[in-house]
Amino acid sequence: MNIFHDANRKQIANRRVKDKSLHMIFLLATSVGIIALTVLLVDIIIDGWSNLSPDLFTNFPSRKAEDAGMKSGLVGSMYIMLILVPLSFILGVGAAIYLEEYAPKNKLTRLIQLNISTLAGVPSIVYGILGLALFVRMLSLQKSLISGALTMTLLVLPIIIVAAQEAIRAVPRSRRDASFALGATKWQTVSRSVLPSSLPGILTGVILAASRAIGETAPLIIVGASTYVAFLPKSLTDAFTAMPIQIYNWISRPQVAFKDLGASAIIILLAILILLNITAVIIRNKYQKNI
Amino acid sequence: MKSKTIKGFATLVMAAVLVFTAACGNNNNKEANQPSNSNAPAATNSANAPTESTEPEVKLSGEIKIDGSSTVFPVTEAVAEEFRKVHPDVRVPVGVSGTGGGMKQFTAGEIPIANASRPMKDSEAEAAKAAGIEFTQIDVAYDGLSVVVSQQNDFIDHLTVEELTKIFSVEGNAVNWSDIRAEWPSEPIVIFSPGADSGTYDYFAEVVLEDANMKTEGVTFSEDDNTLVTGVAGTPNGIGYFGYAYYEENQDTLKAVPIDGGNGAVAPTFDTIKDGSYTPLSRELYFYVNNAEMARPEVAEFVKFYIENASELAGEVGYVGMPQEAYDEQLAKIDALK
């Protein structure tokens, strides 16, 4: 008896063709991104590799491309990170713990939740304007390092809260129950059971948020980062600049030498970003093994 | 085994990060702790710095925040860079929030000096008056707005101002180049223009369009002049305009169109911009200084230093220095403020 009628064979062949072609479409979709990224990287490296020199780290900006460096931008970005990471960690994880562990599950909590998720998608320039109104004008912190760092903290806060919430939510209910069964209080449960297990996820979120902040330009320009800064900030209220601002300035100049210098600066920025991301991966792997 | 390798790698990366941070931290300390050392080379440099002023009798310090036009930025940056060699303790951060953005801060009294690529508007002067701020306009250099076409364009030899108006205005109704001059090809006119927020756009619109409106349909606007350069260079029937420096750096791909403002066609060059024969698209670059701030010795010294070195430094960054008499006038204005 012929189990496979001709019609069935045809159907099967059709499905296989469909499967094959979808396979190709998805492969194409993946390669578009990868090819674009590769072209971008190769282009940047060709333009910028030869200019990579210690001068870029030790010199202040200059009108002469051969003397110009981005010491002030590098240090400015680093200071912003030094303020942003601890501050956004404390505020972000605190908010996540409250929302996940303490907050009553009612309409208000759901509204807050919705707002935070929305805030995570708000364009960065809006945070810049908020920072200008709140920190620079209302709190009269002036156009200073601290204004810039606080604005960036606001910018990444929703991202960290969402990431930390996901991580906390992923801790099995049974762990909490076990802890409560031993007579632990809520805080004991959170601090000794929930947080340690969710830490890898939280830290990954924090580092990814930091790497977003380090590449942001628009909000910093609005809160008053200067473009030419030939000194390092010595206090929180000093004027400052940051790497992306320096890069944007160099790229938009007419002289080719500055464009190449911009490419070199981009390589350094990318290297720092990759370093941050590798750190995130390593932290995740390390702690996940221990649990 | 595998987790060990990862652990080792993790330690390595962490160590690298720490070393990096520490290294940078050291640099800061060095600077902060050894002012005597960092002064020594600066003093030697000042001998080479293009300045007429002698060694400062008093050691100046303080901060002079400057903001405003991105067009004037390169000149101010160059001046700030040289000024630092003479007065290493005076901090001069320079920002680029645009002429309008700089004016907003200046008229609110937030900054002592604002760069501007156009004269102050009446509304801005009123804001300053309301805040009780008296100010002085100082001219620093010339920039020749260059109307450019691609090197591949072989039909445009010059344009009159009326033709420019026709090309760039809605009212001109020109679609093809043949609408401008009959003998030109009936190819569409493709326009590249700086964005409406820039002082360059304002100036061009004022001179060329007068009361007419700028075309927006089929026009590529960009805040990045390099985008305009690439656009015009690659479009045989395109036309665009921007500061002289961007044309000067791209002469192999662009042609500057000689402009006839009534006295024959003149192409923008260093000389025609300097002697004023390139009209009407030559514009002055300015900064505004708050008169009250001139009481601060570092501000007074910086402003004087700016004018004394503007001619040479403007040339270095792609602008055109003014004739010496013009600078003398500015110095007289400054002296009157003291």
Side-chain angles (χ1 to χ4, degrees), chain B residues 10-327:
Chain B
T11 330
L12 202 73
V13 171
M14 290 297 234
V17 172
L18 282 177
V19 168
F20 186 63
T21 332
C24 287
N26 271 348
N27 277 350
N28 304 348
N29 292 342
K30 248 180 237 159
E31 266 232 339
N33 295 339
Q34 307 176 339
S36 51
N37 265 6
S38 59
N39 273 354
T44 10
N45 277 348
S46 67
N48 305 331
T51 168
E52 290 152 30
S53 38
T54 46
E55 280 297 299
E57 317 84 57
V58 249
K59 208 158 158 263
L60 295 175
S61 62
E63 189 171 77
I64 308 170
K65 270 194 186 176
I66 304 178
D67 210 332
S69 164
S70 58
T71 311
V72 188
F73 171 81
V75 188
T76 306
E77 181 197 43
V79 174
E81 189 185 348
E82 289 305 324
F83 189 72
R84 183 172 169 261
K85 291 178 182 167
V86 190
H87 302 282
D89 292 339
V90 182
R91 302 165 146 207
V92 187
V94 189
V96 280
S97 53
T99 302
M103 283 298 172
K104 233 175 237 159
Q105 298 169 45
F106 181 76
T107 53
E110 290 171 10
I111 51 174
I113 294 174
N115 291 328
S117 61
R118 55 158 173 79
M120 190 182 266
K121 288 179 183 167
D122 291 344
S123 57
E124 291 160 347
E126 277 161 28
K129 202 177 168 196
I133 289 168
E134 288 180 22
F135 56 86
T136 308
Q137 172 191 316
I138 310 281
D139 309 358
V140 294
Y142 296 141
D143 181 24
L145 277 195
S146 304
V147 177
V148 295
V149 295
S150 164
Q151 276 285 359
Q152 300 161 51
N153 183 312
D154 51 9
F155 55 88
I156 298 182
D157 54 344
H158 77 279
L159 286 167
T160 64
V161 175
E162 292 76 45
E163 284 167 337
L164 280 180
T165 314
K166 204 166 178 202
I167 293 171
F168 284 94
S169 68
V170 179
E171 288 80 356
N173 270 327
V175 179
N176 293 326
W177 283 107
S178 51
D179 297 335
I180 307 297
R181 274 187 225 168
E183 67 265 31
W184 285 351
S186 56
E187 299 277 346
I189 302 172
V190 183
I191 295 176
F192 297 86
S193 165
D197 286 338
S198 68
T200 312
Y201 175 95
D202 281 344
Y203 187 84
F204 187 83
E206 191 191 315
V207 171
V208 168
L209 300 181
E210 287 172 2
D211 296 328
N213 294 304
M214 178 81 181
K215 252 193 233 173
T216 51
E217 209 173 309
V219 181
T220 305
F221 289 99
S222 174
E223 296 297 340
D224 178 7
D225 290 326
N226 284 315
T227 307
L228 302 176
V229 168
T230 317
V232 176
T235 315
N237 47 346
I239 187 167
Y241 65 93
F242 35 70
Y244 178 68
Y246 287 87
Y247 160 67
E248 197 190 19
E249 290 290 328
N250 294 286
Q251 294 186 22
D252 49 335
T253 53
L254 296 176
K255 277 198 287 194
V257 181
I259 302 296
D260 187 348
N263 298 315
V266 179
T269 65
F270 193 87
D271 295 326
T272 56
I273 296 169
K274 183 156 194 150
D275 66 20
S277 57
Y278 182 66
T279 56
L281 287 176
S282 267
R283 60 168 168 171
E284 286 170 324
L285 304 179
Y286 320 90
F287 68 79
Y288 284 84
V289 60
N290 186 329
N291 292 357
E293 298 272 2
M294 287 293 281
R296 285 164 61 194
E298 66 271 22
V299 175
E301 182 63 26
F302 179 82
V303 169
K304 193 163 157 250
F305 186 92
Y306 200 134
I307 296 308
E308 282 170 354
N309 296 293
S311 177
E312 185 186 336
L313 294 174
E316 265 187 52
V317 296
Y319 296 108
V320 179
M322 308 188 294
Q324 191 52 47
E325 309 87 72
Y327 286 116

Side-chain angles (χ1 to χ4, degrees), chain A residues 23-259:
Chain A
H23 179 141
M24 290 316 291
I25 289 172
F26 293 141
L27 181 69
L28 203 71
T30 315
S31 20
V32 167
I34 292 177
I35 289 171
L37 192 65
T38 315
V39 169
L40 189 75
L41 283 178
V42 168
D43 186 50
I44 293 284
I45 288 172
I46 288 174
D47 286 346
W49 192 258
S50 56
N51 284 312
L52 273 181
S53 74
D55 284 358
L56 220 46
F57 296 92
T58 56
N59 286 15
F60 285 118
S62 166
R63 68 181 181 285
K64 297 184 191 121
E66 65 271 20
D67 292 339
M70 55 182 222
K71 185 178 176 184
S72 44
L74 208 61
V75 173
S77 285
M78 202 107 61
Y79 281 167
I80 291 177
M81 287 299 120
L82 285 180
I83 300 170
L84 174 140
V85 170
L87 203 59
S88 57
F89 181 85
I90 294 167
L91 293 177
V93 176
I97 291 174
Y98 174 76
L99 287 172
E100 285 302 312
E101 302 290 335
Y102 290 93
K105 303 270 174 266
N106 58 18
K107 268 193 180 151
L108 182 68
T109 312
R110 275 208 298 278
L111 188 70
I112 294 174
Q113 188 66 54
L114 181 72
N115 272 310
I116 291 172
S117 315
T118 316
L119 279 176
V122 166
S124 58
I125 192 117
V126 176
Y127 284 96
I129 295 166
L130 177 69
L132 181 70
L134 185 64
F135 300 124
V136 178
R137 300 258 159 86
M138 261 173 71
L139 300 178
S140 12
L141 292 173
Q142 306 301 329
K143 309 205 156 183
S144 60
L145 183 63
I146 186 74
S147 300
L150 289 178
T151 307
M152 290 311 232
T153 305
L154 282 189
L155 172 74
V156 300
L157 213 45
I159 307 173
I160 293 180
I161 296 175
V162 171
Q165 276 186 293
E166 299 281 344
I168 291 172
R169 218 174 289 151
V171 177
R173 181 82 236 161
S174 54
R175 281 198 172 227
R176 294 184 181 84
D177 291 343
S179 175
F180 288 134
L182 290 171
T185 63
K186 195 129 199 175
W187 171 238
Q188 284 173 324
T189 307
V190 169
S191 62
R192 295 182 197 168
S193 175
V194 176
L195 269 189
S197 345
S198 53
L199 202 60
I202 293 175
L203 287 180
T204 312
V206 170
I207 291 173
L208 290 181
S211 48
R212 177 174 173 199
I214 209 168
E216 279 288 351
T217 328
L220 283 183
I221 290 184
I222 297 211
V223 294
S226 295
T227 302
Y228 172 79
V229 175
F231 53 84
L232 302 177
K234 286 186 184 133
S235 80
L236 290 176
T237 50
D238 274 351
F240 73 106
T241 188
M243 272 189 284
I245 293 174
Q246 189 65 63
I247 292 171
Y248 180 74
N249 175 254
W250 282 341
I251 300 272
S252 61
R253 289 196 175 213
Q255 293 84 3
V256 181
F258 273 112
K259 289 182 213 164

